[in-house]
Amino acid sequence: MNNIHAAPGARLEQALFEVKRVVVGQDPMVERMLVGLLARGHILVEGVPGVAKTLAVRTIADVFGGTFRRLQFTPDLMPGDIVGTRVWRPSTETFDTELGPIFGNLVLADEINRAPAKVQSALLEAMAEKQVSIGGRTFELPDPFLVLATQNPIETDGVYRLPEAQRDRFLLKIDVSHPTEVEEMAIVRQMGTSQPRAKNLFTPEEVVALQDAATDVFVHHAIEHYAVRLVMATRSPSHYRVPEIAGALEYGVSSRGTLGLVAASRALALLRGRDYVLPVDVADLAPDVLAHRLVLTFDAAAENVDARSLIETVVRTIVPPRLAPHESDAERVSA
């Protein structure tokens, strides 16, 4: 088995290269997906059809190993179709439990916004508690466990808006756009022949070791305070000198958003080859971690105000900390 703790940054760079060998372009999406995996956080990916959302998830599953499950959500889906159900066995006159496809290490919930409320509730328990309840019994989900959900923003028929409680359970929301002209040419050349397949580089145990390494990444208290101020600015905009966003916000980001921002920043730092977090890590991830947690006012929603632009305004306004290198190193050693 490879020594994960020796050089996690180098191994993650190798994994990133292997994913990009299959997925052309969409570098921010791929990077954020790996951040979610390392930070043990679920990911919501939104984009029009045909922008490699499903391909990226499947490729990451190939690279990081474990069991991969794909759930195609439809309006007639039932909770038992996902978590499992009890089945009567006439031969033994007993009920057996048939576990559903949610029991996988990496679960792709395709077009999640097509699922009705009961299915969303069942999925919420799995995402939040990493367990499901079937017939009065509780079943633990495998470790690692990650849900990558996709939704199509242009569909209006047969879709259900995700409730705020479930959106808050996603660590990151990634908005995916069309590729550039250069990337489109590369896609035509690559996909016009035989499509490449990524190699498996990790076992589930190694992925857990990488997640533990991300947890150990050092965060200076000034950077923690920076993350807190970014979140607090969405709750009290005038106090933090962003009064221009106050009229668009009904509720700011929850405390889960603060914890998620710090955890994701740790993962991004590890992915970038560092064992400490920089303010730029926090700033880069703030729109992806915080924007989908905002609750906009009715008027703002009617005017299609972009939640990401509100967070970007906050990031431009809140001044990041400036740490001397020796100060950061000394505190990291003492920690």
Side-chain angles (χ1 to χ4, degrees):
M1 181 179 292
N2 296 302
N3 188 350
I4 291 294
H5 298 286
R11 296 217 58 206
L12 286 170
E13 184 179 1
Q14 182 185 7
L16 198 59
F17 173 81
E18 189 65 24
V19 174
K20 290 181 179 180
R21 193 172 62 83
V22 178
V23 182
V24 178
Q26 305 296 4
D27 290 351
M29 175 181 69
V30 171
E31 183 184 60
R32 298 304 191 261
M33 285 184 176
L34 294 185
V35 166
L37 178 64
L38 294 173
R40 297 183 172 93
H42 308 294
I43 302 169
L44 180 62
V45 185
E46 183 173 289
V48 297
V51 291
K53 301 187 298 294
T54 303
L55 176 63
V57 176
R58 186 179 295 276
T59 303
I60 289 174
D62 289 338
V63 173
F64 286 90
T67 53
F68 172 69
R69 301 285 187 266
R70 177 179 177 178
L71 305 175
Q72 185 65 51
F73 281 52
T74 57
D76 60 347
L77 204 65
M78 297 295 291
D81 298 328
I82 293 178
V83 302
T85 187
R86 300 184 72 197
V87 179
W88 174 254
R89 304 294 186 191
S91 58
T92 59
E93 296 186 350
T94 58
F95 281 99
D96 285 344
T97 301
E98 293 284 350
L99 300 181
I102 193 70
F103 286 84
N105 295 115
L106 191 61
V107 178
L108 171 60
D110 218 353
E111 295 187 285
I112 187 175
N113 53 335
R114 289 189 177 276
K118 288 184 178 180
V119 175
Q120 299 291 358
S121 177
L123 186 63
L124 178 60
E125 180 190 8
M127 293 171 57
E129 310 297 337
K130 294 188 176 181
Q131 65 181 32
V132 299
S133 300
I134 306 173
R137 295 178 58 193
T138 299
F139 297 86
E140 298 290 333
L141 291 166
D143 189 27
F145 172 71
L146 180 69
V147 173
L148 291 105
T150 69
Q151 63 179 14
N152 183 350
I154 62 176
E155 290 284 356
T156 56
D157 294 333
V159 297
Y160 300 81
R161 184 176 181 274
L162 295 183
E164 283 75 12
Q166 185 160 346
R167 282 191 286 128
D168 198 34
R169 296 292 180 179
F170 286 102
L171 174 65
L172 298 157
K173 180 178 180 290
I174 309 170
D175 293 328
V176 186
S177 59
H178 285 295
T180 64
E181 181 179 346
V182 174
E183 292 170 345
E184 194 82 11
M185 286 296 298
I187 291 171
V188 171
R189 288 195 300 268
Q190 178 168 299
M191 298 303 178
T193 57
S194 59
Q195 182 176 334
R197 187 72 181 263
K199 296 182 296 185
N200 174 240
L201 301 179
F202 299 89
T203 65
E205 292 76 17
E206 289 176 322
V207 174
V208 172
L210 282 173
Q211 292 174 335
D212 292 340
T215 304
D216 293 335
V217 170
F218 174 76
V219 184
H220 192 277
H221 66 83
I223 295 180
E224 291 177 336
H225 189 207
Y226 176 51
V228 169
R229 284 186 292 136
L230 290 176
V231 171
M232 293 303 298
T234 68
R235 303 179 194 172
S236 304
S238 299
H239 181 73
Y240 289 87
R241 299 181 181 179
V242 281
E244 61 269 30
I245 71 171
L249 295 177
E250 187 75 29
Y251 296 101
V253 176
S254 69
S255 297
R256 190 179 285 114
T258 311
L259 296 173
L261 183 56
V262 174
S265 299
R266 282 190 165 106
L268 183 59
L270 185 68
L271 191 60
R272 292 176 172 176
R274 285 182 271 105
D275 64 348
Y276 56 92
V277 174
L278 293 177
V280 67
D281 299 323
V282 179
D284 285 350
L285 287 170
D288 298 308
V289 176
L290 305 182
H292 65 284
R293 304 175 193 272
L294 296 176
V295 179
L296 303 183
T297 62
F298 178 81
D299 290 340
E303 295 173 3
N304 293 321
V305 172
D306 183 16
R308 292 181 67 90
S309 67
L310 302 180
I311 297 298
E312 288 166 357
T313 299
V314 171
V315 172
R316 288 194 300 267
T317 305
I318 303 298
V319 180
R322 296 183 179 180
L323 301 176
H326 66 276
E327 178 185 3
S328 179
D329 292 341
E331 291 215 16
R332 187 164 72 254
V333 171
S334 64

